[in-house]
Each structure stands twice: as C-alpha cells, then as structure tokens.
Amino acid sequence: MPRSTFPLSTLLAMYLLLSGVSFTQAADDSLTYCHSYAGINFPDYRALWNPVHPEQTEITYKALLNLATKSHDKTYLSELLSQIARTYTVRHQYSNAEYYLSQSALYLDDAQPSAHGHYWAEKARLKYFQHQQGEAISALDQAWKYAQKASDDRLQVEVAVMQSRYDEKQSDLWLKRAQAIIVSSDDLRLKKEGAVLL
C-alpha cells in the first residue's frame, strides 16, 4: 500500500471533520513518531501532552485512539488508553480514569513491556491522587521494572521522577537515577526536555 502524502495534521483534521469532533489542538508535523500503519504515521502522544489543558489532550488522544484501533497494535492502544486515563486523573475524575485504565489492561497480554510500564505509572498516579501512597509506590515499583525491561529511557525518567515525589525517604536517590539516565541517553528529545521533566 503506498504511503500517504498527507501530513499528519491534515489526516487528523480530515478525520475530525468527518467525525464531527471539535479539535482545538492540531498535531505538529515536526513531532517524533512512534508508530506507523498503512502509510499513516502516528505521533508520539507524549509530545502532544498539554499540562495546562488536559481536557484538550483528552480530545487529541481520543482522536488518535479512533485511528489507532484500526492498526491492531496492542502496545500503542494500551499506552494511549493509559494516557487518556491520565487526562482524567489530573482533573480528579477518578471513575473515568479507572475505566480507561481497565481498558488499557485488556491489551497488556499482547503488548510490549513499555505498555505495562505506562499502565503501572498511571495506576500509581491515580492511587497517589486518591491519597493511597503505599499503593502508588507499589505500582511505581512495577512501572520501574517494566520501564527497564523496555529500555525506554523517557519512561524510566518519568517513573523515577514520580518515585522521587511520592516516596520522600528515597527522593534524592530517584532524582539521581533520573539525572543519570538523561545524561547517558541517546534520546535527544529527552536530553532537551530533561530539565522540564525533573
């Protein structure tokens, strides 16, 4: 099948116009991509996260989700669902967050370790927001294990930073781990954004 000649932002806009969804945050063609199927490149959803307006991120991710379901990529689907859960967690809409985490878990058996890592990281965030610190730290231990197994530097940094915030006794240790990963990583975007993540 020939590759699409349309930029991603055009493809998303076309999809959203046809589906009737309002979309206020277009994807940027300068973003990195982490998935490709049938000539369509799917963007790195982490680069589309909007910390100021998580409700806009929700719309963006759900638009990607409708496209991603056609790819049959269980890893991408699971990760995207866990990130949709995150958009609800940070807005204290916990029942919606739990629902999307449960949907993310459905694909884990057929997904790569990175999906497990993202699932457990978002499970930890949800538990922490619900003032269940012990369960949050336990979930982060799982996230760390899978982030290492996936050799995903950015995910390892994100989990280490979360550990530093959730576990005050070991805060310095986790921050040093995060900094060491950033220094040794080949991920140029991670090096550029490292200060923001810390």
Side-chain angles (χ1 to χ4, degrees):
M1 180 175 251
R3 290 187 67 80
S4 168
T5 56
F6 293 107
L8 177 67
S9 56
T10 302
L11 289 170
L12 276 174
M14 288 167 47
Y15 166 78
L16 292 164
L17 283 172
L18 291 172
S19 65
V21 175
S22 172
F23 188 64
T24 57
Q25 180 183 342
D28 184 341
D29 289 330
S30 67
L31 295 175
T32 56
Y33 295 88
C34 63
H35 175 78
S36 180
Y37 176 77
I40 299 174
N41 289 321
F42 291 83
D44 181 350
Y45 51 81
R46 291 182 283 199
L48 293 170
W49 175 258
N50 185 334
V52 179
H53 297 289
E55 70 283 355
Q56 290 181 4
T57 307
E58 176 201 346
I59 293 168
T60 303
Y61 286 175
K62 285 183 176 177
L64 287 176
L65 183 63
N66 283 310
L67 292 170
T69 51
K70 297 177 176 67
S71 77
H72 306 293
D73 184 319
K74 303 301 189 287
T75 299
Y76 191 78
L77 280 170
S78 181
E79 290 182 12
L80 198 54
L81 286 162
S82 70
Q83 297 310 298
I84 293 172
R86 179 184 179 188
T87 70
Y88 287 113
T89 297
V90 299
R91 289 179 286 163
H92 308 284
Q93 297 176 18
Y94 302 135
S95 60
N96 287 337
E98 287 169 353
Y99 170 77
Y100 279 97
L101 275 177
S102 71
Q103 294 301 299
S104 172
L106 294 176
Y107 297 102
L108 290 177
D109 286 345
D110 299 310
Q112 297 296 317
S114 62
H116 293 258
H118 284 286
Y119 168 81
W120 284 108
E122 294 314 318
K123 183 74 139 179
R125 193 186 314 275
L126 176 60
K127 293 299 181 184
Y128 187 76
F129 270 66
Q130 293 175 315
H131 308 290
Q132 299 174 32
Q133 186 175 6
E135 290 186 44
I137 293 172
S138 179
L140 279 178
D141 290 340
Q142 291 295 316
W144 177 253
K145 178 180 78 174
Y146 282 110
Q148 287 188 304
K149 190 173 182 180
S151 299
D152 186 327
D153 290 347
R154 186 181 182 99
L155 180 56
Q156 287 182 62
V157 169
E158 290 173 356
V159 171
V161 169
M162 289 172 74
Q163 283 275 25
S164 76
R165 293 175 181 162
Y166 296 3
D167 187 355
E168 293 180 9
K169 293 178 182 177
Q170 300 193 58
S171 180
D172 290 342
L173 170 68
W174 283 107
L175 272 180
K176 287 177 183 175
R177 284 183 181 171
Q179 291 166 343
I181 293 165
I182 292 169
V183 168
S184 64
S185 179
D186 294 327
D187 184 336
L188 297 180
R189 184 179 289 274
L190 176 59
K191 287 184 180 295
K192 181 180 178 181
E193 298 175 355
V196 175
L197 293 172
L198 295 173

